[in-house]
Amino acid sequence: MARGGQGLARVAVVVRAGAAPLWWSGVFAAGIGAVPPGITGRRIGVLAGAALFLVGAAVVALARRGRYGALARGAARAGKYDVLQDRAVTVRNWRRGHRWWLLLAFAAALGSAFAVPAAGGLLLAGLGTGLRLKAAWIGRRERAGETLLWVRVDWLDQRGGNPAGKAVKGLRGTGIAAGDAAPGGARRRTAQLV
């Protein structure tokens, strides 16, 4: 980067990047997984899946909140020469880096349906929901502090994820209008011209 600037990715976008693939693959796997009666039967499978959905969503949404909060409180102002990575690039990097894990998780969810119908798929959907809830929590912090949180791209892991990992020594902050993603990592809505 020119003059000591760093490439920065939005923390909420990195967190949210896996939400849609996990949710949709989970819903799809649960739908297919409800077809075979399995060992436990469909009713028990769906009830177990609903419990796994809630537990998975809660665990993912609440995990490492203390670390995220500490990093957010210590966020330094982004430099003049820092380069803000587009939302689409961050999402693409995460999804490319995790594609085999996503495929393996989908296959495991489908395979588990022969024992406990729909449970594996509902767990995957719960993990995706948890990521979306965590990104929304980060977005509320960003709105409250009027500061968008960014992480150095070179501090992310090899798969483009883990924005609160051991390699991350601190976050950077910008104004609320910076970048092309809204607080929480969603696509920024553009104003409609009349």
Side-chain angles (χ1 to χ4, degrees), residues 29-63:
I32 294 173
V35 174
I39 296 170
T40 62
R42 287 186 191 95
R43 183 170 179 265
I44 291 173
V46 170
L47 289 174
L52 287 172
F53 177 92
L54 294 173
V55 169
V59 167
V60 171
L62 299 174

Side-chain angles (χ1 to χ4, degrees), residues 16 18 61 77 80 112 138 141 161 163 172 178 185:
R16 188 185 170 109
R77 194 77 179 152
K80 180 178 180 180
S112 71
I138 293 170
R141 287 189 67 104
R172 305 269 176 95

Side-chain angles (χ1 to χ4, degrees), residues 9 14-15 24 26-27 30 37 48 56 58 75 98 109 114 126 128-129 132 142 146 170 173 179:
V14 176
V15 169
W24 287 111
V27 168
H98 290 83
F114 293 102
T129 301
R132 188 167 293 251
E142 289 177 327
E146 294 187 353

